[in-house]
Amino acid sequence: MDTGTDATRYIGVVLAGGLSSRMGRDKALLSWQGRPLIERQIAVLREAGVDTVQISGERADYQGIADPVAHMGPLGGIAGIAAVCEDGELLIIPVDMPRLQSTLLRRLLIAPPAGCVHFSGQVLPMRLRLDDTCREALAELMRDGDDRSRSLRALQERVGIIEIPLSEADADQLIDCNTQETWREVNG
């Protein structure tokens, strides 16, 4: 990805470590247009222009990175990735957004520098600067005993956010499929 700073590393991250309890089966392995959803998300990140792709969650077939602490949600997944990656810009997407397109993700990559960039009204996808500030914020949030305060929003607020506008048409790409009903709607 050429955004004017050759030294910046762009690391794609697919959050795929959840239990899929509301779906009732592993969302990452749902078939989307003839291939597992996780493979589709890896391809979208590569099309967006990242240098490498990391998978959060214990997924041996995809060299997944286990969360350092179980059941911490997306924050735990990001903490796991941060533990094994050098500093850079993380482009983070959930495994369960099958309509997500690389052109929309590129908008996050070319946005002005910030600790975090995401679309207005959305938490994911996001670009997150992985640096000392981010690592410290992650560590503090992971130690926090209150589940409600341990969130992606809390992380975003701690590192500084830029929100970029999102059209209604683009917002349709950000439908996450957490339930069988939503999955049927997206496939319909």
Side-chain angles (χ1 to χ4, degrees):
M1 175 92 208
D2 183 13
T3 59
T5 58
D6 294 332
T8 303
R9 289 182 37 113
Y10 293 92
I11 304 160
V13 176
V14 180
L15 296 174
L19 299 174
S20 300
S21 55
R22 287 180 282 171
M23 177 63 74
R25 56 188 170 147
D26 190 347
K27 293 183 287 189
L29 300 179
L30 292 172
S31 180
W32 179 261
Q33 299 176 344
R35 64 181 165 173
L37 192 51
I38 192 170
E39 291 178 15
R40 190 254 182 227
Q41 299 304 75
I42 292 167
V44 166
L45 284 166
R46 287 187 176 137
E47 289 168 16
V50 299
D51 299 312
T52 61
V53 175
Q54 298 286 345
I55 307 299
S56 80
E58 290 188 62
R59 298 197 172 274
D61 291 348
Y62 299 96
Q63 293 79 47
I65 298 167
D67 295 359
V69 179
H71 311 296
M72 292 285 217
L75 196 68
I78 294 170
I81 297 294
V84 300
C85 288
E86 294 179 15
D87 287 358
E89 296 285 333
L90 303 179
L91 183 57
I92 303 169
I93 66 173
V95 75
D96 61 0
M97 278 187 186
R99 292 184 176 170
L100 190 58
Q101 299 296 313
S102 61
T103 52
L104 189 62
L105 292 176
R106 281 189 208 113
R107 290 183 51 205
L108 293 173
L109 291 179
I110 64 171
C116 177
V117 180
H118 65 85
F119 295 106
S120 297
Q122 305 291 322
V123 176
L124 290 170
M126 72 171 161
R127 186 186 84 208
L128 181 68
R129 182 184 305 131
L130 183 58
D131 60 10
D132 290 342
T133 300
C134 180
R135 291 174 196 283
E136 183 178 313
L138 277 167
E140 288 173 8
L141 289 167
M142 293 294 288
R143 285 190 303 265
D144 192 325
D146 183 359
D147 288 345
R148 293 169 295 166
S149 64
R150 194 181 319 115
S151 68
L152 292 182
R153 285 190 197 280
L155 175 62
Q156 292 169 343
E157 289 170 5
R158 287 180 185 220
V159 299
I161 308 167
I162 291 179
E163 290 189 349
I164 56 178
L166 183 68
S167 71
E168 202 170 307
D170 286 339
D172 285 343
Q173 293 183 42
L174 304 184
I175 296 170
D176 56 348
C177 297
N178 284 314
T179 65
Q180 292 278 346
E181 181 181 339
T182 308
W183 182 248
R184 282 190 296 273
E185 288 173 18
V186 167
N187 277 291

